């Protein structure tokens, strides 16, 4: 038997090591697991790093960076070689354009300002993503609370049914009350099943923002009362003036247009082309080298139309900025007023209406167990509690949606 060569043995060992190391490397490159439970701040961090729209917006920055590299390029020289049967037989020439008037520097400046405009695009995508995240995150919390409320109503309906059956067995209640309570249990079970399906849909919406599969389980931590800090109109207006993406984008477009106009004015200065020629294989000529300079004479075209168009574009951008600023002022005023009104309504539900309805339902159930009231009174109390809880939950969710709209107007998270 021939012993294996040392090189072959080492190759086999290396292949085995690579195969064994491949799963470990794949595990390191996979996305980190989600925090459990997931808070809103943790969800925002996950969305910033994983959201596909955010990734696409960041990819636009690479395009603008490539434009800066293109702006830094220096015009290439042009070489020529002429062959002829006559004397001189061969002529070699080179043309070298030299840019004057700071054209290259102005191109680089324009490309740099356009790169800054890409950063505004990233901020705009971040604003949209943050708006969608708040809506879907608290939409899932509302779905969880709705499911919890539906299960609580189902538990109450089952207790009332058990009480009705116990009273029927003792002869203290007719069979009609048992049938009515069974109907109440069936309706409560239907509402709970609907709440579960709504919860699944809300989870899929949040997973879309987080770039997760729609069926991946997500456990969120929070309450609809989170992040309800009060803000005045003047505070909101100051934040919008400094952070609104629409205003920032128009300001950046004005700067870009100024740089483009400066480049157009610099390009009115002609670019001289220095030429050098050398005669090769020409013994009959005493002078075999020559040089020349050619300059385009700007008699007719001096970028007048382009500069006029740039001035008109700048004026239109300024008018558009004034219109956007006015719209933001009105929108912020209306949204802040709606937020204040919705906050008062939510506080009324949480502090007075729902606690009172809960106490009334408990008293009605105790009175029915004691035989002092009919089951209809329990149904009325239960219906009132269910409706108030649903209205309170919807009001709290509407408040979060308004806060999401306000954040989108401001372009920054609420303080």
């Amino acid at each position: 038997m021939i012993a294996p060569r040392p090189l072959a043995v080492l190759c086999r060992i290396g292949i085995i090591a690579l195969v064994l190391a491949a799963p470990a490397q794949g595990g390191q490159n996979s996305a980190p697991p989600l925090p459990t439970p997931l808070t809103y701040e943790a969800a925002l961090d996950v969305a910033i790093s994983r959201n596909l729209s955010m990734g696409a917006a960041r990819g636009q920055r690479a395009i603008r960076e490539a434009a800066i590299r293109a702006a830094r390029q220096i015009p290439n020289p042009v070489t020529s070689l002429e062959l002829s049967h006559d004397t001189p037989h061969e002529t070699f020439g080179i043309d070298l354009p030299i840019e004057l008037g700071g054209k290259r520097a102005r191109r680089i400046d324009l490309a740099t300002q356009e790169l800054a405009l890409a950063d505004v695009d990233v901020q705009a995508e971040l604003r949209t993503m943050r708006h969608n995240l708040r809506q879907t995150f608290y939409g899932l919390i509302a779905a969880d609370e709705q499911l919890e409320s539906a299960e609580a109503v189902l538990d109450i309906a089952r207790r009332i049914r058990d009480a009705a059956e116990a009273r029927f067995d003792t002869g203290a209640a007719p069979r009609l009350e048992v049938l009515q309570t069974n109907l109440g249990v069936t309706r409560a079970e239907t509402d709970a099943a609907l709440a579960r399906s709504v919860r699944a849909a809300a989870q899929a919406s949040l997973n879309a923002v987080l770039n997760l599969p729609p069926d991946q389980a997500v456990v969120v931590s929070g309450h609809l009362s989170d992040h309800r800090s009060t803000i005045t109109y003047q505070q909101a207006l100051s934040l919008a003036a400094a952070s609104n993406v629409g205003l920032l984008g128009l300001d950046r477009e004005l700067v870009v247009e100024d740089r483009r106009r400066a480049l157009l004015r610099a390009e009115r200065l002609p670019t001289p082309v220095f030429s050098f020629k050398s005669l090769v294989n020409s013994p009959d000529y005493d002078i075999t080298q020559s040089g020349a300079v050619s300059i385009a004479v700007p008699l007719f075209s001096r970028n007048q139309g382009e500069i006029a168009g740039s001035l008109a574009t700048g004026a239109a951008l300024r008018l558009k900025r004034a219109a956007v600023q006015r719209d933001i002022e009105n929108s912020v005023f209306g949204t802040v007023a709606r937020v204040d009104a919705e906050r008062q309504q939510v506080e009324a539900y949480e502090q007075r209406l729902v606690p009172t309805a809960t106490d009334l339902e408990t008293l009605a159930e105790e009175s029915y167990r004691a035989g002092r009231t009919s089951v209809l009174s329990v149904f009325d109390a239960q219906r009132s509690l269910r409706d108030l809880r649903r209205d309170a939950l919807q009001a709290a969710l509407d408040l979060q949606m308004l806060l999401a709209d306000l954040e989108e107007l401001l372009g920054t998270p609420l303080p």
Side-chain angles (χ1 to χ4, degrees):
M1 180 177 180
I2 301 176
R5 297 180 180 178
L7 181 59
V9 174
L10 291 176
C11 291
R12 294 175 184 175
I13 294 176
I15 293 173
I16 295 173
L18 290 174
V19 172
L20 294 177
Q25 292 176 356
Q28 292 176 357
N29 293 333
S30 60
L34 291 178
T36 302
L38 188 67
T39 62
Y40 177 76
E41 289 76 13
L44 182 60
D45 294 337
V46 172
I48 290 175
S49 62
R50 301 182 54 143
N51 184 267
L52 294 179
S53 298
M54 287 292 300
R58 295 189 191 98
Q60 295 295 321
R61 182 180 176 85
I63 300 175
R64 303 293 176 87
E65 289 175 351
I68 294 180
R69 294 181 58 185
R72 288 181 178 146
Q73 295 176 352
I74 299 175
N76 292 321
V78 179
T79 60
S80 62
L81 178 64
E82 298 180 8
L83 303 177
S84 175
H85 292 290
D86 300 331
T87 304
H89 299 291
E90 301 169 1
T91 304
F92 174 79
I94 182 171
D95 298 334
L96 181 62
I98 303 296
E99 290 185 317
L100 302 177
K103 297 179 184 179
R104 180 171 176 269
R106 295 184 186 280
R107 282 202 311 269
I108 296 174
D109 191 15
L110 174 60
T112 303
Q113 295 301 327
E114 290 179 342
L115 176 62
L117 189 60
D119 295 333
V120 177
D121 295 338
V122 173
Q123 293 181 17
E125 192 59 45
L126 176 61
R127 177 192 66 173
T128 302
M129 186 274 296
R130 188 167 51 232
H131 179 269
N132 295 335
L133 178 65
R134 179 181 278 270
Q135 287 189 331
T136 55
F137 184 87
Y138 287 103
L140 182 56
I141 289 181
D144 285 337
E145 293 188 9
Q146 181 64 36
L147 178 57
E148 182 181 354
S149 177
E151 291 177 346
V153 171
L154 177 58
D155 183 64
I156 294 174
R158 287 171 176 171
R159 291 203 312 264
I160 296 174
R161 180 194 59 186
D162 295 340
E165 290 177 350
R167 294 189 63 197
F168 173 74
D169 293 339
T170 60
R175 180 65 179 172
L176 177 61
E177 292 187 357
V178 177
L179 295 176
Q180 289 175 334
T181 55
N182 284 329
L183 181 61
V185 170
T186 302
R187 177 178 178 180
E189 290 175 345
T190 303
D191 291 342
L194 178 61
R196 293 187 188 94
S197 63
V198 171
R199 202 269 177 198
Q203 176 182 285
S205 299
L206 177 60
N207 287 358
V209 180
L210 300 179
N211 188 22
L212 297 174
D215 57 346
Q216 180 171 339
V218 176
V219 179
V220 293
S221 174
H223 194 269
L224 289 176
S225 60
D226 296 341
H227 307 286
R228 292 186 187 172
S229 56
T230 58
I231 184 172
T232 64
Y233 168 67
Q234 293 299 330
Q235 292 173 339
L237 194 59
S238 299
L239 288 174
S243 304
N244 181 268
V245 177
L247 293 178
L248 293 178
L250 288 172
D251 290 339
R252 184 56 54 190
E253 288 183 19
L254 282 169
V255 175
V256 168
E257 199 59 41
D258 290 340
R259 299 298 188 273
R260 182 176 290 110
R261 188 161 55 252
L263 176 60
L264 289 172
R265 286 170 175 165
E267 288 177 344
R268 293 191 297 187
L269 182 65
T271 299
V273 178
F274 294 87
S275 302
F276 171 79
K277 288 187 177 182
S278 175
L279 305 180
V280 183
N281 192 15
S282 55
D284 298 335
Y285 287 80
D286 296 333
I287 300 176
T288 58
Q289 289 85 23
S290 63
V293 178
S294 60
I295 300 177
V297 180
L299 293 179
F300 306 107
S301 176
R302 302 183 69 248
N303 289 340
Q304 303 97 321
E306 291 83 352
I307 293 175
S310 178
L311 289 171
T313 301
L317 287 174
R318 291 182 181 88
L319 290 175
K320 184 177 180 180
R321 189 191 187 283
V324 170
Q325 184 173 4
R326 179 63 66 188
D327 290 340
I328 290 173
E329 292 174 357
N330 294 322
S331 299
V332 169
F333 183 84
T335 305
V336 169
R338 292 175 59 194
V339 167
D340 292 338
E342 196 69 36
R343 181 181 288 109
Q344 295 176 6
Q345 184 180 20
V346 170
E347 291 175 354
Y349 276 116
E350 293 178 347
Q351 297 176 7
R352 296 189 299 274
L353 297 177
V354 174
T356 302
T358 303
D359 293 339
L360 290 176
E361 193 280 330
T362 302
L363 292 175
E365 184 178 348
E366 292 176 353
S367 298
Y368 176 71
R369 289 180 182 274
R372 292 193 296 268
T373 57
S374 66
V375 72
L376 296 179
S377 300
V378 181
F379 286 158
D380 290 338
Q382 181 183 357
R383 187 182 304 108
S384 298
L385 177 60
R386 182 181 63 246
D387 294 343
L388 281 174
R389 282 179 174 174
R390 183 183 296 113
D391 294 342
L393 184 61
Q394 186 61 48
L397 181 59
D398 290 342
L399 177 56
Q400 289 294 338
M401 300 301 104
L402 284 174
L403 292 177
D405 294 340
L406 183 58
E407 281 186 344
E408 189 173 24
L409 280 172
L410 302 183
T412 183
L414 291 172

